[in-house]
Amino acid sequence: MRKMIIAGNWKMNMTNSESSELVKSLVEQIGQVENPLVIVCPPYTALSVVKKLLDGSNIFLGAQNMYAEQSGAYTGEISPSMLLTIGTTYVILGHSERREYFSETDRMVSAKVKLALESGLLPIVCVGEKLDERESGKTEDVIGSQIDGSLADLDADDMKKIIVAYEPIWAIGTGKTATPEMAQEVHSFIRGRLKDRFGDIADEVTIQYGGSVKGDNAAGLLSQPDIDGALVGGASLKVDQFVKIVNSV
Ligand code: PGA
């Protein structure tokens, strides 16, 4: 059985005091939930504060990015070993905002994925097509090459530790969600691609959907056979919305 996983990507939001307030409410309301597995990904500055408040709950800590080196002269970057020392378990890699605003390529994402795994962090690897790519019928080409490029040189054992997040770029932060059927089609394509590359382990890989997931549309998306959770941006900053999403599994 695949694990259902709901992750909140707080992006560049939340001071430490706002983070504390948010996470205290989450722990109170969904701190003991075991299915789905719940992850929160605060900004780097709030990771330690949030980790302390999560202790004793079932909610896991994730980071939003990392650099593909363990240490050195890389001003402004954060390494996997640093994330591990403060109790981070998961790390989002290759988010479309990283790809778009910080020019991250599949090659860079792949290097990060490999170092994350070697270090003991569990990656959430994001893929997704732009609106014009969808409209010109290139969705599968784009997603297929992102999957191949971002998950290069891995084996089936590595794949057991990876979560894939399908996030159509046109649906992120726009209020436009893919219909459950549209999302299912791509999720099934991704699983097929993983099966070709890694074999039957593909049936065990959690594939999350992301892009304007809210309390009201989560149940429809999560009832699709190949949608195994959600990566939630805007709605993860609102306690009632995020709780509703978690409870709709
Ligand atoms: P959104 O963001 O839920 O605000 O659309 C999702 C994401 O970018 O992970």
Side-chain angles (χ1 to χ4, degrees):
M1 262 301 275
R2 301 195 272 276
K3 240 188 253 164
M4 274 281 186
I5 303 178
I6 306 291
N9 173 11
W10 296 2
K11 306 194 180 182
M12 198 175 73
N13 296 293
M14 297 282 139
T15 61
N16 281 4
S17 60
E18 289 165 343
S19 298
S20 300
E21 216 171 293
L22 174 57
V23 88
K24 274 183 199 157
S25 304
L26 294 179
V27 166
E28 215 172 275
Q29 297 190 43
I30 50 171
Q32 297 311 314
V33 171
E34 285 175 6
N35 179 42
L37 190 147
V38 180
I39 306 169
V40 289
C41 306
Y44 292 135
T45 44
L47 285 170
S48 289
V49 167
V50 168
K51 175 62 187 165
K52 286 197 186 87
L53 294 167
L54 290 180
D55 278 344
S57 81
N58 286 332
I59 303 177
F60 286 83
L61 186 68
Q64 299 173 17
N65 185 30
M66 52 163 250
Y67 194 56
E69 295 288 343
Q70 289 296 19
S71 64
Y74 303 103
T75 302
E77 294 295 332
I78 302 277
S79 76
S81 54
M82 291 169 179
L83 294 176
L84 282 162
T85 57
I86 47 175
T88 311
T89 307
Y90 293 89
V91 61
I92 299 172
L93 296 175
H95 189 279
S96 65
E97 286 149 16
R98 299 293 320 167
R99 294 176 187 262
E100 186 178 350
Y101 306 135
F102 303 95
S103 309
E104 283 194 16
T105 61
D106 287 333
R107 216 189 156 92
M108 288 157 78
V109 176
S110 150
K112 292 182 180 196
V113 171
K114 276 191 263 177
L115 188 65
L117 289 171
E118 267 171 50
S119 310
L121 282 171
L122 303 174
I124 301 174
V125 181
C126 304
V127 296
E129 82 285 2
K130 298 185 183 132
L131 185 58
D132 63 316
E133 292 166 338
R134 171 163 284 267
E135 286 175 346
S136 57
K138 291 192 194 128
T139 301
E140 293 194 352
D141 286 348
V142 171
I143 302 295
S145 82
Q146 286 177 343
I147 288 283
D148 291 349
S150 306
L151 304 175
D153 306 322
L154 301 181
D155 61 23
D157 275 344
D158 295 324
M159 227 28 242
K160 283 185 196 159
K161 300 176 196 141
I162 292 177
I163 300 168
V164 174
Y166 167 58
E167 300 200 298
I169 295 172
W170 49 271
I172 295 179
T174 58
K176 284 186 206 153
T177 326
T179 63
E181 294 72 24
M182 278 158 89
Q184 165 59 27
E185 210 177 304
V186 182
H187 280 237
S188 155
F189 167 77
I190 292 172
R191 200 174 307 286
R193 189 72 158 220
L194 295 176
K195 210 164 218 174
D196 292 344
R197 296 257 324 271
F198 302 102
D200 286 345
I201 197 68
D203 288 326
E204 308 293 318
V205 177
T206 294
I207 306 179
Q208 296 177 316
Y209 171 79
S212 299
V213 176
K214 308 262 182 289
D216 287 345
N217 60 23
L221 289 156
L222 296 170
S223 64
Q224 295 294 317
D226 287 292
I227 301 185
D228 316 310
L231 181 55
V232 185
S236 71
L237 302 173
K238 300 185 186 116
V239 178
D240 56 333
Q241 285 287 315
F242 194 64
V243 167
K244 195 165 172 195
I245 295 168
V246 167
N247 287 336
S248 59
V249 168

